[in-house]
Amino acid sequence: MNKLILTTAAAFALGVSGAYAQDNNDNDQASSAAMIGVDNAKVEDGKITGISVNTDTAGYLVVHDDAEGAAPANLGHIAVQPGSTDDLSIELTGTPGPGLSLMLHDETNDNTTYDFGPGSTDVDTPTMRNGEPVVKAIDGM
């Protein structure tokens, strides 16, 4: 069973969207089955492959660079639909550092575009499970 790990990316997401995480506990109920699998994940040729996802809501799987001393950078994302999906591949828009995290975000404004980021932290917010964002660290990439 995959474990949730609170990483720099998760702390950043909670820091900029803490009010959402605290005020919207209904989201925890809807996302009780959300998980990210990285047992077969690898980074090569400008993309990360071999990722699996299970989610109850439409949203996005986002790749964050956990470079020490920097706010987590969004290196790429892919839309995900409710249910289980295996062998996902995400194109990377930058050069990954040694630590990466994958984080699920919900599609909250129904425009099918990933909009969460600096200056826009109230939409497409992190998927929450038991009061924590659904995030999985990938070390040694």
Side-chain angles (χ1 to χ4, degrees):
M1 176 176 226
N2 292 324
K3 295 190 286 185
L4 294 178
I5 299 171
L6 186 62
T7 64
T8 305
F12 171 76
L14 286 174
V16 297
S17 64
Y20 175 83
Q22 293 169 1
D23 295 339
N24 192 352
N25 289 330
D26 291 341
N27 195 27
D28 283 346
Q29 300 272 333
S31 301
S32 61
M35 61 173 271
I36 303 166
V38 297
D39 291 342
N40 299 315
K42 59 184 172 183
V43 175
E44 61 185 4
D45 300 326
K47 60 185 170 185
I48 184 168
T49 60
I51 308 160
S52 61
V53 171
N54 185 55
T55 183
D56 293 337
T57 60
Y60 307 92
L61 183 61
V62 181
V63 180
H64 290 288
D65 186 348
D66 292 339
E68 191 171 328
N74 172 355
L75 293 179
H77 63 275
I78 191 170
V80 294
Q81 296 302 314
S84 295
T85 307
D86 293 325
D87 204 25
L88 286 170
S89 176
I90 302 173
E91 295 289 328
L92 300 175
T93 59
T95 304
L100 297 176
S101 293
L102 297 169
M103 182 182 290
L104 280 172
H105 284 248
D106 294 326
E107 172 55 60
T108 63
N109 59 352
D110 298 322
N111 70 353
T112 65
T113 302
Y114 177 65
D115 298 311
F116 184 89
S120 183
T121 59
D122 60 340
V123 295
D124 300 343
T125 51
T127 302
M128 303 300 285
R129 180 178 177 192
N130 300 322
E132 302 287 337
V134 178
V135 63
K136 183 72 175 178
I138 305 174
D139 296 322
M141 287 280 159

